[in-house]
PDB file of all heavy atoms in Angstrom:
ATOM      1  N   ILE A   1      40.577  11.778  57.831  1.00 44.00           N
ATOM      2  CA  ILE A   1      41.508  10.668  57.696  1.00 44.00           C
ATOM      3  C   ILE A   1      42.950  11.180  57.726  1.00 44.00           C
ATOM      4  O   ILE A   1      43.840  10.548  58.255  1.00 44.00           O
ATOM      5  CB  ILE A   1      41.241   9.899  56.378  1.00 44.00           C
ATOM      6  CG1 ILE A   1      39.825   9.310  56.400  1.00 44.00           C
ATOM      7  CG2 ILE A   1      42.262   8.790  56.178  1.00 44.00           C
ATOM      8  CD1 ILE A   1      39.582   8.299  57.501  1.00 44.00           C
ATOM      9  N   ASP A   2      43.169  12.327  57.146  1.00 50.00           N
ATOM     10  CA  ASP A   2      44.506  12.903  57.075  1.00 50.00           C
ATOM     11  C   ASP A   2      44.414  14.303  57.674  1.00 50.00           C
ATOM     12  O   ASP A   2      43.900  15.219  57.040  1.00 50.00           O
ATOM     13  CB  ASP A   2      44.969  12.955  55.610  1.00 50.00           C
ATOM     14  CG  ASP A   2      46.381  13.490  55.454  1.00 50.00           C
ATOM     15  OD1 ASP A   2      46.963  14.008  56.424  1.00 50.00           O
ATOM     16  OD2 ASP A   2      46.896  13.391  54.347  1.00 50.00           O
ATOM     17  N   ALA A   3      44.905  14.479  58.886  1.00 46.00           N
ATOM     18  CA  ALA A   3      44.674  15.720  59.632  1.00 46.00           C
ATOM     19  C   ALA A   3      45.111  16.958  58.872  1.00 46.00           C
ATOM     20  O   ALA A   3      44.484  18.017  58.965  1.00 46.00           O
ATOM     21  CB  ALA A   3      45.395  15.649  60.980  1.00 46.00           C
ATOM     22  N   GLN A   4      46.170  16.873  58.089  1.00 46.00           N
ATOM     23  CA  GLN A   4      46.653  18.027  57.347  1.00 46.00           C
ATOM     24  C   GLN A   4      45.962  18.179  55.991  1.00 46.00           C
ATOM     25  O   GLN A   4      46.109  19.199  55.333  1.00 46.00           O
ATOM     26  CB  GLN A   4      48.179  17.924  57.143  1.00 46.00           C
ATOM     27  CG  GLN A   4      48.976  17.797  58.432  1.00 46.00           C
ATOM     28  CD  GLN A   4      48.764  18.983  59.339  1.00 46.00           C
ATOM     29  OE1 GLN A   4      48.695  20.116  58.880  1.00 46.00           O
ATOM     30  NE2 GLN A   4      48.634  18.718  60.638  1.00 46.00           N
ATOM     31  N   GLY A   5      45.242  17.180  55.594  1.00 63.00           N
ATOM     32  CA  GLY A   5      44.601  17.233  54.278  1.00 63.00           C
ATOM     33  C   GLY A   5      45.594  17.146  53.144  1.00 63.00           C
ATOM     34  O   GLY A   5      45.248  17.393  51.989  1.00 63.00           O
ATOM     35  N   THR A   6      46.839  16.777  53.440  1.00 78.00           N
ATOM     36  CA  THR A   6      47.876  16.830  52.414  1.00 78.00           C
ATOM     37  C   THR A   6      47.646  15.845  51.283  1.00 78.00           C
ATOM     38  O   THR A   6      47.950  16.137  50.129  1.00 78.00           O
ATOM     39  CB  THR A   6      49.255  16.570  53.041  1.00 78.00           C
ATOM     40  OG1 THR A   6      49.214  15.333  53.765  1.00 78.00           O
ATOM     41  CG2 THR A   6      49.635  17.689  53.998  1.00 78.00           C
ATOM     42  N   ARG A   7      47.107  14.683  51.607  1.00 82.00           N
ATOM     43  CA  ARG A   7      46.917  13.679  50.559  1.00 82.00           C
ATOM     44  C   ARG A   7      45.913  14.171  49.520  1.00 82.00           C
ATOM     45  O   ARG A   7      46.149  14.073  48.316  1.00 82.00           O
ATOM     46  CB  ARG A   7      46.436  12.364  51.187  1.00 82.00           C
ATOM     47  CG  ARG A   7      46.197  11.266  50.162  1.00 82.00           C
ATOM     48  CD  ARG A   7      45.787   9.961  50.824  1.00 82.00           C
ATOM     49  NE  ARG A   7      46.857   9.410  51.633  1.00 82.00           N
ATOM     50  CZ  ARG A   7      46.806   9.283  52.959  1.00 82.00           C
ATOM     51  NH1 ARG A   7      45.739   9.696  53.610  1.00 82.00           N
ATOM     52  NH2 ARG A   7      47.794   8.748  53.618  1.00 82.00           N
ATOM     53  N   PHE A   8      44.800  14.725  49.976  1.00 84.00           N
ATOM     54  CA  PHE A   8      43.782  15.173  49.035  1.00 84.00           C
ATOM     55  C   PHE A   8      44.183  16.466  48.340  1.00 84.00           C
ATOM     56  O   PHE A   8      43.829  16.685  47.188  1.00 84.00           O
ATOM     57  CB  PHE A   8      42.437  15.318  49.749  1.00 84.00           C
ATOM     58  CG  PHE A   8      41.820  14.001  50.088  1.00 84.00           C
ATOM     59  CD1 PHE A   8      41.936  13.481  51.361  1.00 84.00           C
ATOM     60  CD2 PHE A   8      41.152  13.254  49.134  1.00 84.00           C
ATOM     61  CE1 PHE A   8      41.385  12.261  51.687  1.00 84.00           C
ATOM     62  CE2 PHE A   8      40.596  12.034  49.441  1.00 84.00           C
ATOM     63  CZ  PHE A   8      40.717  11.525  50.731  1.00 84.00           C
ATOM     64  N   VAL A   9      44.903  17.309  49.046  1.00 85.00           N
ATOM     65  CA  VAL A   9      45.407  18.525  48.402  1.00 85.00           C
ATOM     66  C   VAL A   9      46.345  18.153  47.257  1.00 85.00           C
ATOM     67  O   VAL A   9      46.254  18.693  46.149  1.00 85.00           O
ATOM     68  CB  VAL A   9      46.132  19.420  49.430  1.00 85.00           C
ATOM     69  CG1 VAL A   9      46.883  20.552  48.725  1.00 85.00           C
ATOM     70  CG2 VAL A   9      45.142  19.995  50.429  1.00 85.00           C
ATOM     71  N   ARG A  10      47.251  17.221  47.509  1.00 87.00           N
ATOM     72  CA  ARG A  10      48.190  16.793  46.478  1.00 87.00           C
ATOM     73  C   ARG A  10      47.453  16.173  45.290  1.00 87.00           C
ATOM     74  O   ARG A  10      47.752  16.461  44.124  1.00 87.00           O
ATOM     75  CB  ARG A  10      49.185  15.800  47.075  1.00 87.00           C
ATOM     76  CG  ARG A  10      50.232  15.301  46.095  1.00 87.00           C
ATOM     77  CD  ARG A  10      51.315  14.492  46.796  1.00 87.00           C
ATOM     78  NE  ARG A  10      50.784  13.313  47.459  1.00 87.00           N
ATOM     79  CZ  ARG A  10      50.679  13.184  48.774  1.00 87.00           C
ATOM     80  NH1 ARG A  10      51.056  14.167  49.575  1.00 87.00           N
ATOM     81  NH2 ARG A  10      50.196  12.071  49.308  1.00 87.00           N
ATOM     82  N   LEU A  11      46.490  15.311  45.595  1.00 89.00           N
ATOM     83  CA  LEU A  11      45.727  14.668  44.522  1.00 89.00           C
ATOM     84  C   LEU A  11      44.933  15.689  43.709  1.00 89.00           C
ATOM     85  O   LEU A  11      44.877  15.616  42.477  1.00 89.00           O
ATOM     86  CB  LEU A  11      44.780  13.628  45.103  1.00 89.00           C
ATOM     87  CG  LEU A  11      45.342  12.247  45.388  1.00 89.00           C
ATOM     88  CD1 LEU A  11      44.271  11.362  45.993  1.00 89.00           C
ATOM     89  CD2 LEU A  11      45.904  11.605  44.128  1.00 89.00           C
ATOM     90  N   ALA A  12      44.275  16.619  44.398  1.00 90.00           N
ATOM     91  CA  ALA A  12      43.467  17.618  43.695  1.00 90.00           C
ATOM     92  C   ALA A  12      44.334  18.490  42.784  1.00 90.00           C
ATOM     93  O   ALA A  12      43.948  18.805  41.651  1.00 90.00           O
ATOM     94  CB  ALA A  12      42.711  18.485  44.690  1.00 90.00           C
ATOM     95  N   ARG A  13      45.498  18.873  43.262  1.00 91.00           N
ATOM     96  CA  ARG A  13      46.392  19.696  42.439  1.00 91.00           C
ATOM     97  C   ARG A  13      46.925  18.899  41.256  1.00 91.00           C
ATOM     98  O   ARG A  13      47.056  19.430  40.145  1.00 91.00           O
ATOM     99  CB  ARG A  13      47.529  20.240  43.298  1.00 91.00           C
ATOM    100  CG  ARG A  13      47.047  21.282  44.313  1.00 91.00           C
ATOM    101  CD  ARG A  13      48.162  21.749  45.226  1.00 91.00           C
ATOM    102  NE  ARG A  13      47.667  22.773  46.154  1.00 91.00           N
ATOM    103  CZ  ARG A  13      48.388  23.302  47.139  1.00 91.00           C
ATOM    104  NH1 ARG A  13      49.642  22.892  47.323  1.00 91.00           N
ATOM    105  NH2 ARG A  13      47.863  24.213  47.928  1.00 91.00           N
ATOM    106  N   TYR A  14      47.229  17.637  41.484  1.00 91.00           N
ATOM    107  CA  TYR A  14      47.668  16.770  40.389  1.00 91.00           C
ATOM    108  C   TYR A  14      46.543  16.613  39.373  1.00 91.00           C
ATOM    109  O   TYR A  14      46.769  16.659  38.160  1.00 91.00           O
ATOM    110  CB  TYR A  14      48.068  15.415  40.964  1.00 91.00           C
ATOM    111  CG  TYR A  14      48.860  14.540  40.025  1.00 91.00           C
ATOM    112  CD1 TYR A  14      50.247  14.605  39.981  1.00 91.00           C
ATOM    113  CD2 TYR A  14      48.224  13.629  39.190  1.00 91.00           C
ATOM    114  CE1 TYR A  14      50.978  13.796  39.139  1.00 91.00           C
ATOM    115  CE2 TYR A  14      48.946  12.810  38.331  1.00 91.00           C
ATOM    116  CZ  TYR A  14      50.324  12.896  38.317  1.00 91.00           C
ATOM    117  OH  TYR A  14      51.040  12.100  37.461  1.00 91.00           O
ATOM    118  N   HIS A  15      45.336  16.436  39.870  1.00 93.00           N
ATOM    119  CA  HIS A  15      44.156  16.296  39.013  1.00 93.00           C
ATOM    120  C   HIS A  15      43.964  17.548  38.156  1.00 93.00           C
ATOM    121  O   HIS A  15      43.718  17.462  36.941  1.00 93.00           O
ATOM    122  CB  HIS A  15      42.930  16.063  39.900  1.00 93.00           C
ATOM    123  CG  HIS A  15      41.722  15.574  39.180  1.00 93.00           C
ATOM    124  ND1 HIS A  15      41.380  14.247  39.101  1.00 93.00           N
ATOM    125  CD2 HIS A  15      40.753  16.242  38.501  1.00 93.00           C
ATOM    126  CE1 HIS A  15      40.257  14.116  38.408  1.00 93.00           C
ATOM    127  NE2 HIS A  15      39.852  15.314  38.041  1.00 93.00           N
ATOM    128  N   LEU A  16      44.068  18.695  38.779  1.00 92.00           N
ATOM    129  CA  LEU A  16      43.942  19.961  38.045  1.00 92.00           C
ATOM    130  C   LEU A  16      44.974  20.059  36.937  1.00 92.00           C
ATOM    131  O   LEU A  16      44.681  20.522  35.826  1.00 92.00           O
ATOM    132  CB  LEU A  16      44.107  21.139  39.010  1.00 92.00           C
ATOM    133  CG  LEU A  16      42.902  21.511  39.870  1.00 92.00           C
ATOM    134  CD1 LEU A  16      43.325  22.413  41.019  1.00 92.00           C
ATOM    135  CD2 LEU A  16      41.835  22.204  39.022  1.00 92.00           C
ATOM    136  N   ALA A  17      46.193  19.625  37.222  1.00 92.00           N
ATOM    137  CA  ALA A  17      47.286  19.777  36.262  1.00 92.00           C
ATOM    138  C   ALA A  17      47.168  18.805  35.090  1.00 92.00           C
ATOM    139  O   ALA A  17      47.242  19.213  33.927  1.00 92.00           O
ATOM    140  CB  ALA A  17      48.622  19.590  36.972  1.00 92.00           C
ATOM    141  N   ILE A  18      46.960  17.524  35.366  1.00 91.00           N
ATOM    142  CA  ILE A  18      47.011  16.546  34.278  1.00 91.00           C
ATOM    143  C   ILE A  18      45.777  16.593  33.388  1.00 91.00           C
ATOM    144  O   ILE A  18      45.849  16.292  32.198  1.00 91.00           O
ATOM    145  CB  ILE A  18      47.219  15.118  34.808  1.00 91.00           C
ATOM    146  CG1 ILE A  18      46.060  14.684  35.706  1.00 91.00           C
ATOM    147  CG2 ILE A  18      48.545  14.999  35.528  1.00 91.00           C
ATOM    148  CD1 ILE A  18      46.148  13.227  36.113  1.00 91.00           C
ATOM    149  N   TYR A  19      44.637  16.970  33.966  1.00 91.00           N
ATOM    150  CA  TYR A  19      43.414  17.020  33.173  1.00 91.00           C
ATOM    151  C   TYR A  19      43.068  18.436  32.720  1.00 91.00           C
ATOM    152  O   TYR A  19      42.087  18.625  31.993  1.00 91.00           O
ATOM    153  CB  TYR A  19      42.235  16.459  33.979  1.00 91.00           C
ATOM    154  CG  TYR A  19      42.345  14.989  34.283  1.00 91.00           C
ATOM    155  CD1 TYR A  19      42.225  14.514  35.583  1.00 91.00           C
ATOM    156  CD2 TYR A  19      42.540  14.050  33.271  1.00 91.00           C
ATOM    157  CE1 TYR A  19      42.309  13.164  35.874  1.00 91.00           C
ATOM    158  CE2 TYR A  19      42.634  12.704  33.547  1.00 91.00           C
ATOM    159  CZ  TYR A  19      42.513  12.267  34.850  1.00 91.00           C
ATOM    160  OH  TYR A  19      42.594  10.926  35.136  1.00 91.00           O
ATOM    161  N   GLU A  20      43.863  19.423  33.164  1.00 89.00           N
ATOM    162  CA  GLU A  20      43.555  20.833  32.876  1.00 89.00           C
ATOM    163  C   GLU A  20      42.101  21.113  33.258  1.00 89.00           C
ATOM    164  O   GLU A  20      41.330  21.698  32.499  1.00 89.00           O
ATOM    165  CB  GLU A  20      43.820  21.161  31.412  1.00 89.00           C
ATOM    166  CG  GLU A  20      45.288  20.985  31.014  1.00 89.00           C
ATOM    167  CD  GLU A  20      45.551  21.341  29.567  1.00 89.00           C
ATOM    168  OE1 GLU A  20      44.569  21.527  28.804  1.00 89.00           O
ATOM    169  OE2 GLU A  20      46.725  21.438  29.192  1.00 89.00           O
ATOM    170  N   ALA A  21      41.756  20.663  34.448  1.00 87.00           N
ATOM    171  CA  ALA A  21      40.368  20.712  34.902  1.00 87.00           C
ATOM    172  C   ALA A  21      39.967  22.112  35.340  1.00 87.00           C
ATOM    173  O   ALA A  21      40.794  22.929  35.740  1.00 87.00           O
ATOM    174  CB  ALA A  21      40.172  19.737  36.062  1.00 87.00           C
ATOM    175  N   ASP A  22      38.675  22.371  35.266  1.00 90.00           N
ATOM    176  CA  ASP A  22      38.097  23.623  35.740  1.00 90.00           C
ATOM    177  C   ASP A  22      38.031  23.583  37.266  1.00 90.00           C
ATOM    178  O   ASP A  22      37.382  22.698  37.833  1.00 90.00           O
ATOM    179  CB  ASP A  22      36.699  23.785  35.146  1.00 90.00           C
ATOM    180  CG  ASP A  22      35.988  25.050  35.620  1.00 90.00           C
ATOM    181  OD1 ASP A  22      36.557  25.807  36.431  1.00 90.00           O
ATOM    182  OD2 ASP A  22      34.845  25.267  35.176  1.00 90.00           O
ATOM    183  N   PRO A  23      38.678  24.517  37.967  1.00 91.00           N
ATOM    184  CA  PRO A  23      38.674  24.482  39.433  1.00 91.00           C
ATOM    185  C   PRO A  23      37.281  24.603  40.052  1.00 91.00           C
ATOM    186  O   PRO A  23      37.088  24.211  41.198  1.00 91.00           O
ATOM    187  CB  PRO A  23      39.542  25.686  39.823  1.00 91.00           C
ATOM    188  CG  PRO A  23      40.352  25.998  38.618  1.00 91.00           C
ATOM    189  CD  PRO A  23      39.505  25.616  37.445  1.00 91.00           C
ATOM    190  N   THR A  24      36.324  25.138  39.291  1.00 91.00           N
ATOM    191  CA  THR A  24      34.984  25.336  39.846  1.00 91.00           C
ATOM    192  C   THR A  24      34.065  24.134  39.630  1.00 91.00           C
ATOM    193  O   THR A  24      32.945  24.130  40.156  1.00 91.00           O
ATOM    194  CB  THR A  24      34.325  26.578  39.231  1.00 91.00           C
ATOM    195  OG1 THR A  24      34.099  26.359  37.826  1.00 91.00           O
ATOM    196  CG2 THR A  24      35.204  27.812  39.412  1.00 91.00           C
ATOM    197  N   GLN A  25      34.507  23.131  38.868  1.00 91.00           N
ATOM    198  CA  GLN A  25      33.610  22.021  38.579  1.00 91.00           C
ATOM    199  C   GLN A  25      33.442  21.122  39.803  1.00 91.00           C
ATOM    200  O   GLN A  25      34.280  21.073  40.703  1.00 91.00           O
ATOM    201  CB  GLN A  25      34.119  21.206  37.391  1.00 91.00           C
ATOM    202  CG  GLN A  25      35.323  20.345  37.683  1.00 91.00           C
ATOM    203  CD  GLN A  25      35.739  19.508  36.476  1.00 91.00           C
ATOM    204  OE1 GLN A  25      36.909  19.419  36.176  1.00 91.00           O
ATOM    205  NE2 GLN A  25      34.790  18.907  35.791  1.00 91.00           N
ATOM    206  N   ALA A  26      32.334  20.401  39.820  1.00 90.00           N
ATOM    207  CA  ALA A  26      32.031  19.517  40.938  1.00 90.00           C
ATOM    208  C   ALA A  26      33.048  18.386  41.013  1.00 90.00           C
ATOM    209  O   ALA A  26      33.460  17.824  39.997  1.00 90.00           O
ATOM    210  CB  ALA A  26      30.626  18.946  40.778  1.00 90.00           C
ATOM    211  N   ALA A  27      33.435  18.065  42.225  1.00 92.00           N
ATOM    212  CA  ALA A  27      34.397  16.989  42.456  1.00 92.00           C
ATOM    213  C   ALA A  27      34.036  16.260  43.738  1.00 92.00           C
ATOM    214  O   ALA A  27      33.352  16.801  44.611  1.00 92.00           O
ATOM    215  CB  ALA A  27      35.813  17.550  42.546  1.00 92.00           C
ATOM    216  N   VAL A  28      34.518  15.019  43.837  1.00 90.00           N
ATOM    217  CA  VAL A  28      34.393  14.277  45.077  1.00 90.00           C
ATOM    218  C   VAL A  28      35.771  13.784  45.481  1.00 90.00           C
ATOM    219  O   VAL A  28      36.616  13.498  44.639  1.00 90.00           O
ATOM    220  CB  VAL A  28      33.424  13.073  44.962  1.00 90.00           C
ATOM    221  CG1 VAL A  28      32.003  13.553  44.750  1.00 90.00           C
ATOM    222  CG2 VAL A  28      33.843  12.132  43.845  1.00 90.00           C
ATOM    223  N   ALA A  29      36.008  13.724  46.782  1.00 89.00           N
ATOM    224  CA  ALA A  29      37.232  13.163  47.344  1.00 89.00           C
ATOM    225  C   ALA A  29      36.831  12.038  48.282  1.00 89.00           C
ATOM    226  O   ALA A  29      36.012  12.240  49.183  1.00 89.00           O
ATOM    227  CB  ALA A  29      38.023  14.232  48.086  1.00 89.00           C
ATOM    228  N   ILE A  30      37.378  10.863  48.057  1.00 89.00           N
ATOM    229  CA  ILE A  30      36.930   9.670  48.765  1.00 89.00           C
ATOM    230  C   ILE A  30      38.131   8.924  49.330  1.00 89.00           C
ATOM    231  O   ILE A  30      39.171   8.805  48.669  1.00 89.00           O
ATOM    232  CB  ILE A  30      36.122   8.754  47.819  1.00 89.00           C
ATOM    233  CG1 ILE A  30      34.784   9.420  47.483  1.00 89.00           C
ATOM    234  CG2 ILE A  30      35.908   7.370  48.422  1.00 89.00           C
ATOM    235  CD1 ILE A  30      33.977   8.705  46.444  1.00 89.00           C
ATOM    236  N   TRP A  31      37.983   8.441  50.546  1.00 88.00           N
ATOM    237  CA  TRP A  31      38.992   7.630  51.204  1.00 88.00           C
ATOM    238  C   TRP A  31      38.416   6.244  51.482  1.00 88.00           C
ATOM    239  O   TRP A  31      37.321   6.108  52.016  1.00 88.00           O
ATOM    240  CB  TRP A  31      39.410   8.275  52.529  1.00 88.00           C
ATOM    241  CG  TRP A  31      40.229   7.372  53.413  1.00 88.00           C
ATOM    242  CD1 TRP A  31      39.789   6.660  54.493  1.00 88.00           C
ATOM    243  CD2 TRP A  31      41.621   7.087  53.281  1.00 88.00           C
ATOM    244  NE1 TRP A  31      40.821   5.957  55.048  1.00 88.00           N
ATOM    245  CE2 TRP A  31      41.959   6.196  54.325  1.00 88.00           C
ATOM    246  CE3 TRP A  31      42.617   7.514  52.394  1.00 88.00           C
ATOM    247  CZ2 TRP A  31      43.253   5.705  54.492  1.00 88.00           C
ATOM    248  CZ3 TRP A  31      43.900   7.029  52.565  1.00 88.00           C
ATOM    249  CH2 TRP A  31      44.210   6.142  53.605  1.00 88.00           C
ATOM    250  N   VAL A  32      39.143   5.195  51.075  1.00 89.00           N
ATOM    251  CA  VAL A  32      38.732   3.819  51.349  1.00 89.00           C
ATOM    252  C   VAL A  32      39.879   3.125  52.075  1.00 89.00           C
ATOM    253  O   VAL A  32      40.962   2.958  51.510  1.00 89.00           O
ATOM    254  CB  VAL A  32      38.399   3.055  50.052  1.00 89.00           C
ATOM    255  CG1 VAL A  32      37.942   1.633  50.391  1.00 89.00           C
ATOM    256  CG2 VAL A  32      37.340   3.780  49.245  1.00 89.00           C
ATOM    257  N   PRO A  33      39.681   2.735  53.320  1.00 86.00           N
ATOM    258  CA  PRO A  33      40.764   2.086  54.060  1.00 86.00           C
ATOM    259  C   PRO A  33      40.980   0.644  53.624  1.00 86.00           C
ATOM    260  O   PRO A  33      40.053  -0.021  53.144  1.00 86.00           O
ATOM    261  CB  PRO A  33      40.278   2.143  55.513  1.00 86.00           C
ATOM    262  CG  PRO A  33      38.790   2.119  55.396  1.00 86.00           C
ATOM    263  CD  PRO A  33      38.468   2.903  54.141  1.00 86.00           C
ATOM    264  N   GLY A  34      42.191   0.164  53.807  1.00 85.00           N
ATOM    265  CA  GLY A  34      42.435  -1.263  53.673  1.00 85.00           C
ATOM    266  C   GLY A  34      41.899  -1.977  54.895  1.00 85.00           C
ATOM    267  O   GLY A  34      41.367  -1.356  55.823  1.00 85.00           O
ATOM    268  N   ARG A  35      42.021  -3.294  54.896  1.00 83.00           N
ATOM    269  CA  ARG A  35      41.504  -4.055  56.033  1.00 83.00           C
ATOM    270  C   ARG A  35      42.346  -5.305  56.209  1.00 83.00           C
ATOM    271  O   ARG A  35      43.020  -5.768  55.282  1.00 83.00           O
ATOM    272  CB  ARG A  35      40.045  -4.448  55.809  1.00 83.00           C
ATOM    273  CG  ARG A  35      39.871  -5.486  54.728  1.00 83.00           C
ATOM    274  CD  ARG A  35      38.436  -5.850  54.455  1.00 83.00           C
ATOM    275  NE  ARG A  35      38.358  -6.874  53.418  1.00 83.00           N
ATOM    276  CZ  ARG A  35      37.256  -7.186  52.755  1.00 83.00           C
ATOM    277  NH1 ARG A  35      36.135  -6.532  53.012  1.00 83.00           N
ATOM    278  NH2 ARG A  35      37.268  -8.126  51.838  1.00 83.00           N
ATOM    279  N   VAL A  36      42.301  -5.840  57.402  1.00 81.00           N
ATOM    280  CA  VAL A  36      42.913  -7.137  57.685  1.00 81.00           C
ATOM    281  C   VAL A  36      41.858  -8.026  58.323  1.00 81.00           C
ATOM    282  O   VAL A  36      40.973  -7.539  59.036  1.00 81.00           O
ATOM    283  CB  VAL A  36      44.134  -7.012  58.615  1.00 81.00           C
ATOM    284  CG1 VAL A  36      45.286  -6.326  57.908  1.00 81.00           C
ATOM    285  CG2 VAL A  36      43.776  -6.270  59.903  1.00 81.00           C
ATOM    286  N   GLU A  37      41.954  -9.309  58.045  1.00 79.00           N
ATOM    287  CA  GLU A  37      41.055 -10.285  58.655  1.00 79.00           C
ATOM    288  C   GLU A  37      41.782 -10.894  59.852  1.00 79.00           C
ATOM    289  O   GLU A  37      42.772 -11.615  59.695  1.00 79.00           O
ATOM    290  CB  GLU A  37      40.662 -11.351  57.643  1.00 79.00           C
ATOM    291  CG  GLU A  37      39.743 -10.816  56.556  1.00 79.00           C
ATOM    292  CD  GLU A  37      39.375 -11.874  55.543  1.00 79.00           C
ATOM    293  OE1 GLU A  37      40.240 -12.223  54.728  1.00 79.00           O
ATOM    294  OE2 GLU A  37      38.212 -12.334  55.569  1.00 79.00           O
ATOM    295  N   LEU A  38      41.294 -10.583  61.020  1.00 79.00           N
ATOM    296  CA  LEU A  38      41.922 -11.067  62.241  1.00 79.00           C
ATOM    297  C   LEU A  38      41.591 -12.539  62.498  1.00 79.00           C
ATOM    298  O   LEU A  38      42.420 -13.302  62.973  1.00 79.00           O
ATOM    299  CB  LEU A  38      41.468 -10.216  63.427  1.00 79.00           C
ATOM    300  CG  LEU A  38      41.728  -8.707  63.301  1.00 79.00           C
ATOM    301  CD1 LEU A  38      41.161  -7.975  64.508  1.00 79.00           C
ATOM    302  CD2 LEU A  38      43.219  -8.432  63.145  1.00 79.00           C
ATOM    303  N   LEU A  39      40.349 -12.917  62.186  1.00 78.00           N
ATOM    304  CA  LEU A  39      39.900 -14.300  62.330  1.00 78.00           C
ATOM    305  C   LEU A  39      39.012 -14.652  61.147  1.00 78.00           C
ATOM    306  O   LEU A  39      38.290 -13.806  60.630  1.00 78.00           O
ATOM    307  CB  LEU A  39      39.104 -14.492  63.631  1.00 78.00           C
ATOM    308  CG  LEU A  39      39.858 -14.312  64.959  1.00 78.00           C
ATOM    309  CD1 LEU A  39      38.860 -14.329  66.118  1.00 78.00           C
ATOM    310  CD2 LEU A  39      40.890 -15.419  65.145  1.00 78.00           C
TER     311      LEU A  39
END
């Protein structure tokens, strides 16, 4: 979704910092797009 991976890299680093998380623990990264109703 993000060719540079910058969005998830930023989120993961923020996650590590605010939660003082273990870098080795299991994690998931998920992208959910918005949508428009054309008709």
Side-chain angles (χ1 to χ4, degrees):
I1 298 298
D2 182 350
Q4 303 300 320
T6 54
R7 179 177 294 114
F8 288 99
V9 169
R10 181 171 61 252
L11 276 179
R13 291 176 178 175
Y14 195 89
H15 194 96
L16 281 164
I18 62 173
Y19 294 127
E20 298 181 349
D22 178 359
T24 66
Q25 73 177 136
V28 293
I30 291 173
W31 168 259
V32 181
R35 70 182 181 196
V36 291
E37 290 179 286
L38 304 177
L39 295 171

